Amino acid sequence: MTDLHEGLGRFRAAVASLRAAQCRPEIELNQISVPMGPSDSVAFSATVTDATASAAVVASYPGMSAIGRTGSDELAEGRFILSHAPSRSAEWGNEFRIVTFVKAQVERDLGHDHMLASVAWSWLLESLERNGAAFTGEGGTASRVVAEGFGQLADTGEDIDVELRASWTPTDQNFGAHLEAWADMVCTFAGLPPVTDGVIPLTGR
């Protein structure tokens, strides 16, 4: 019983750390119900819209034009889930595991670049390291999804999305840093200017 209470205390502390995270203001972050997984889990959804992204680009780089679309169109979206399962510590390397997903639409030329998937994966690792989030056991898949219209939808042209599914084991107690790092990466997917020099943003459509 003592182990159970201690485990619950560690999970509650982890949730508190996530809720205290200071993420970029351009991203809309909301706690959501957990779709599946261990009972001790907490999940967040993230959205970056065209309005906030365009304003950020123009404010940071006056010589750069705003991203093409206007209004509240979504440039990037994703999910972040932290699960707590002491019974899976041997498998995960810790009693906590983070599972994430992010998707964004990209320009056609960039979408056909065969290096896009590996670049998307590198953004995650760089963001975790930049935010001081300690981790191990990282893994994931990056993919390009091409949708082309036919018939009555032929005029819609070709849409290309980049998707990244990734998971890793946090090895520190600063769970907020992991959420901040992931949120930074979502903003990069949306085409926002980088938070540090040397990172090339993904240009959204």
Side-chain angles (χ1 to χ4, degrees), residues 47-107:
T47 305
V48 179
T49 65
D50 183 78
T52 56
S54 296
V57 168
V58 174
S60 299
Y61 298 97
M64 184 180 296
S65 61
I67 295 173
R69 297 186 300 184
T70 58
S72 58
D73 290 333
E74 292 183 359
L75 296 178
E77 60 178 329
R79 293 187 303 275
F80 178 103
I81 302 173
L82 174 69
S83 295
H84 176 244
S87 62
R88 303 186 67 176
S89 295
E91 175 187 355
W92 291 347
N94 198 337
E95 58 188 319
F96 290 96
R97 184 75 176 174
I98 293 171
V99 178
T100 65
F101 168 77
V102 62
K103 179 178 73 172
Q105 191 175 102
V106 299
E107 292 181 345

Side-chain angles (χ1 to χ4, degrees), residues 90-194:
E91 175 187 355
W92 291 347
N94 198 337
E95 58 188 319
F96 290 96
R97 184 75 176 174
I98 293 171
V99 178
T100 65
F101 168 77
V102 62
K103 179 178 73 172
Q105 191 175 102
V106 299
E107 292 181 345
R108 180 178 300 179
D109 291 344
L110 184 59
H112 285 293
D113 188 335
H114 71 282
M115 293 295 293
L116 177 60
S118 61
V119 169
W121 172 251
S122 71
W123 282 336
L124 171 62
L125 301 183
E126 291 168 0
S127 185
L128 287 169
E129 293 173 357
R130 187 170 59 247
N131 283 270
F135 63 96
T136 188
E138 67 276 11
T141 61
S143 58
R144 291 171 292 168
V145 180
V146 181
E148 186 174 356
F150 296 95
Q152 293 182 339
L153 299 179
D155 293 338
T156 60
E158 183 182 63
D159 290 330
I160 303 178
D161 290 337
V162 57
E163 298 181 353
L164 179 65
R165 292 172 171 81
S167 62
W168 64 92
T169 296
T171 57
D172 57 4
Q173 301 302 310
N174 188 8
F175 297 96
H178 293 263
L179 182 57
E180 291 167 3
W182 178 77
D184 285 352
M185 185 200 63
V186 175
C187 288
T188 302
F189 268 64
L192 291 178

Side-chain angles (χ1 to χ4, degrees), residues 11-24:
F11 175 68
R12 288 175 174 171
V15 173
S17 179
L18 291 174
R19 290 174 175 168
Q22 299 295 315
C23 298
R24 292 181 59 167

Side-chain angles (χ1 to χ4, degrees), residues 9-46:
R10 289 192 294 272
F11 175 68
R12 288 175 174 171
V15 173
S17 179
L18 291 174
R19 290 174 175 168
Q22 299 295 315
C23 298
R24 292 181 59 167
E26 303 95 336
I27 192 168
E28 181 181 346
L29 201 65
N30 295 294
Q31 187 171 341
I32 59 174
S33 59
V34 180
M36 60 181 182
S39 57
D40 288 345
S41 297
V42 60
F44 294 86
S45 67

